């Protein structure tokens, strides 16, 4: 199927397509998160994970430590209590099942 369409010819409506893969959708969704007090931590986490993915290998350990303290630790500056314990727990091994949408969280824990 062409980009933006499902196998049966319908429009793609998944979150990944609309809010991650499409630049305008991503921008609008990030603005929504950042503009709402109740979702601001989620917007900040998203921005920091993207920055983490771009940082140099030598900087990853320190960046991961800051992310864990800020977003995953109860009482952290912007604790993301909406994340499940499974999503924020250290993976048991390479490729531990945190779900495809938590791949960056897995990267953060790998640097621990």
């Amino acid at each position: 199927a062409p980009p933006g369409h499902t196998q049966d010819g319908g429009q793609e409506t998944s979150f990944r397509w609309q809010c991650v893969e499409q630049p305008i959708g991503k921008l609008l969704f990030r603005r929504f998160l950042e503009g709402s007090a109740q979702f601001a931590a989620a917007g900040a986490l998203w921005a920091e994970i993207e920055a983490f993915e771009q940082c140099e290998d030598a900087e990853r350990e320190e960046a991961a430590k800051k992310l864990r303290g800020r977003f995953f630790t109860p009482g952290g500056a912007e604790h993301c209590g909406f994340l499940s314990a499974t999503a924020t727990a250290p993976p048991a091994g390479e490729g531990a099942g945190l779900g495809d949408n938590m791949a960056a969280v897995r990267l953060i824990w790998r640097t621990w």
Side-chain angles (χ1 to χ4, degrees), residues 64 68 72-74 83-99 102-112:
R68 286 190 304 272
F72 300 164
T73 305
L83 294 173
S84 70
T86 302
T88 59
E94 190 69 25
L98 297 179
M102 294 306 291
V105 173
R106 198 174 14 241
L107 284 172
I108 292 166
W109 277 110
R110 261 192 237 147
T111 62
W112 181 295

Side-chain angles (χ1 to χ4, degrees), residues 48 60-72:
E48 290 299 322
R60 283 186 175 240
E61 186 173 345
E62 184 62 28
K65 184 177 178 182
K66 287 179 182 177
L67 277 168
R68 286 190 304 272
R70 180 175 169 191
F71 297 107
F72 300 164

Side-chain angles (χ1 to χ4, degrees), residues 6-7 11 22 26 30 39 61 64 70-71 79 96 99-101 103-104:
T6 60
Q7 293 293 352
Q11 291 290 314
Q22 295 302 305
K26 183 176 185 176
R30 296 256 317 256
F39 300 122
E61 186 173 345
R70 180 175 169 191
F71 297 107
H79 178 242
D100 291 336
N101 61 341

